[in-house]
Amino acid sequence: MLRIINVVGARPNFMKIAPVIDEMRRRPARIQSLLVHTGQHYDESMSDSFFEDLQIPRPDINLEIGSGSHSEQTARIMIAFERVLLEHPADWVVVVGDVNSTMAATIVAAKMNVRITHVEAGLRSRDRTMPEEINRVVTDSLADLLLAPSRDAVENLLREGVALEKIRFVGNVMIDTLFRNLEQARGSRILERLKLQPGKFCAMTMHRPSNVDDKETLSGILDALETLGERLPIVFPVHPRTRDRLEQFGLGERVRRQVSLVLTEPLGYLDFLHLYSNSRLVLTDSGGIQEETTVLGIPCLTLRENTERPITVTEGTNKLVGNNPESILQTALAALDHFAYGDARPARVPELWDGHAAVRIVDALEQASPK
Ligand code: UD1
């Protein structure tokens, strides 16, 4: 019997672990799994609603770490997770994505000689000012089994000297979750609630420190949104970090007064899926949304200078626009002129983004386990 501890912490982890847990539960004679939530994200809208929407089992253990500086958060997770591993001996710790919880759990497991599987290994933005890049590099350097979502990720790992036998190309597990929930998301009432018509609005998300932690940058992005809003309303579910910064910089009143900005709390998975899949254009600085829009063929502008997911640009609908207001605006207007709604560039769905990554992930784990 394989004893596996799955670790999640923040919003983008939940949609990656859901199909993996499901698949593990299909193999009860061989796999016994525990779910640990670090509590990095704790708001109803950032955490609980995802467990409900995605029917993820309630975590067996919640470390209730909460917010803090990077070092505080990482250290608190390490202290608490070490106790978990002492009390619950495991053959594998499975971590997903690139958040602080991913790296913290990995360091603890490595020091306790517990084997580590990293789901979504090998992504690199090559931008070390990005906290997630540090988390990716550290996690991949310690992991024993590296499960890559794309071939470029495999190449990154090989270039860094990771042994080929530790790497498997399994595809993108977020897309499993996307396909499983498309039908159910059609039942969402979010368009009615926000009084929106399919194809007649843009969807926007933004929370990266590089966009929201500097007043001038944030205010420049708002300038671009103001002009773009003259063409189409922009729906903007506001991440807690962004909300805090807007208030701190005295920009809260400005966004609330802007009629073309439809502000909401962060949305649950199904509501957000229904929202962006009916939007004309997506603007984002998220990682996962670049992938989801690629699969659905929705034009996406990424407000970053680089991406760890280059395949969404080379094969998908993604364009990097940075955070210069003029370049955001011009590219957004060009996209609106170029793509009619429902007529986006037919997305070439990247290899193995096929809805079956979780099976390959759990197969790889079983194959890599000593008999
Ligand atoms: C984290 C991840 C990022 C991911 C993002 C998705 C890291 C380094 N970053 O960034 O990769 O894209 O989650 O949301 O792990 N807060 C709340 N309620 C919550 C969670 C956070 O109010 O439930 C507020 C707190 O004020 C906190 C701030 O948001 O200080 C930032 O949260 P944190 O988890 O540190 O990082 P994110 O910016 O959310």
Side-chain angles (χ1 to χ4, degrees):
M1 178 72 89
L2 278 182
R3 297 161 306 173
I4 297 178
I5 298 189
N6 294 305
V7 181
V8 291
R11 184 171 63 178
N13 292 162
F14 306 137
M15 47 292 244
K16 293 170 195 163
I17 209 68
V20 173
I21 293 182
D22 229 40
E23 188 55 37
M24 287 181 182
R25 293 192 158 199
R26 282 174 211 271
R27 309 179 190 199
R30 302 197 300 274
I31 295 180
Q32 195 177 59
S33 70
L34 274 186
L35 178 60
V36 175
H37 187 342
T38 66
Q40 177 176 344
H41 284 177
Y42 44 84
D43 281 358
E44 212 286 321
S45 63
M46 298 296 286
S47 178
D48 300 1
S49 86
F50 287 80
F51 280 76
E52 274 162 44
D53 277 4
L54 302 174
Q55 295 174 15
I56 304 173
R58 190 181 273 281
D60 298 289
I61 299 165
N62 191 319
L63 306 178
E64 296 180 6
I65 294 308
S67 304
S69 72
H70 284 272
S71 299
E72 282 167 353
Q73 204 173 48
T74 304
R76 286 208 298 263
I77 297 168
M78 286 180 64
I79 294 167
F81 189 62
E82 186 178 53
R83 290 197 197 109
V84 172
L85 276 191
L86 285 170
E87 277 171 34
H88 302 274
D91 301 303
W92 288 99
V93 166
V94 174
V95 295
V96 298
D98 56 14
V99 302
N100 287 341
S101 301
T102 310
M103 178 185 76
T106 297
I107 297 174
V108 173
K111 295 235 174 186
M112 293 175 74
N113 291 317
V114 179
R115 303 217 293 163
I116 301 146
T117 295
H118 184 207
V119 174
E120 205 185 78
L123 298 186
R124 295 290 181 271
S125 65
R126 300 192 170 76
D127 172 3
R128 293 214 174 169
T129 64
M130 201 183 170
E132 293 79 5
E133 183 73 354
I134 310 289
N135 295 341
R136 292 180 201 114
V137 168
V138 172
T139 301
D140 285 341
S141 72
L142 296 175
D144 301 278
L145 179 62
L146 296 100
L147 304 179
S150 50
R151 291 203 187 270
D152 58 277
V154 174
E155 278 158 29
N156 289 336
L157 293 170
L158 291 174
R159 212 173 301 130
E160 288 173 17
V162 177
L164 182 62
E165 54 277 15
K166 287 187 179 180
I167 306 170
R168 302 275 183 289
F169 170 39
V170 293
N172 189 337
V173 76
M174 276 193 76
I175 307 307
D176 292 22
T177 301
L178 176 66
F179 288 163
R180 285 179 199 193
N181 288 283
L182 263 180
E183 192 51 44
Q184 218 195 324
R186 291 203 182 98
S188 157
R189 315 305 300 162
I190 190 69
L191 299 191
E192 289 82 348
R193 177 150 83 77
L194 301 177
K195 301 189 177 57
L196 299 164
Q197 309 259 314
K200 300 213 165 127
F201 63 92
C202 303
M204 158 104 194
T205 78
M206 172 169 71
H207 68 278
R208 295 257 160 244
S210 56
N211 286 330
V212 305
D213 282 6
D214 174 67
K215 182 176 178 182
E216 215 170 298
T217 306
L218 183 55
S219 145
I221 295 173
L222 295 179
D223 291 341
L225 297 184
E226 208 160 274
T227 316
L228 180 61
E230 291 166 12
R231 281 280 294 270
L232 279 178
I234 302 163
V235 186
F236 183 11
V238 187
H239 186 284
R241 165 192 280 276
T242 310
R243 183 194 55 212
D244 291 351
R245 294 296 180 270
L246 285 168
E247 295 309 329
Q248 187 186 326
F249 297 148
L251 295 166
E253 215 22 60
R254 175 175 170 195
V255 290
R256 281 190 290 275
R257 269 207 322 268
Q258 203 168 312
V259 283
S260 60
L261 270 189
V262 183
L263 303 175
T264 74
E265 292 293 299
L267 298 176
Y269 185 84
L270 295 170
D271 279 342
F272 189 63
L273 170 53
H274 193 59
L275 182 83
Y276 71 80
S277 58
N278 281 285
S279 71
R280 178 85 187 274
L281 174 72
V282 170
L283 298 105
T284 191
D285 61 12
S286 145
I289 297 170
Q290 300 171 46
E291 303 180 332
E292 293 164 330
T293 47
T294 271
V295 169
L296 295 177
I298 310 279
C300 176
L301 305 192
T302 297
L303 279 64
R304 291 175 43 192
E305 302 292 342
N306 48 57
T307 178
E308 60 290 335
R309 295 162 161 93
I311 202 167
T312 60
V313 176
T314 53
E315 296 192 16
T317 55
N318 190 20
K319 266 197 159 67
L320 297 179
V321 291
N323 56 21
N324 171 284
E326 198 48 32
S327 117
I328 296 171
L329 185 62
Q330 292 318 323
T331 323
L333 293 175
L336 290 179
D337 291 337
H338 194 67
F339 298 112
Y341 173 59
D343 183 32
R345 168 155 63 108
R348 206 164 101 208
V349 175
E351 190 182 357
L352 297 193
W353 293 22
D354 59 358
H356 304 294
V359 174
R360 292 187 288 266
I361 288 168
V362 183
D363 282 350
L365 242 164
E366 288 206 79
Q367 282 156 14
S369 303
K371 296 289 172 293

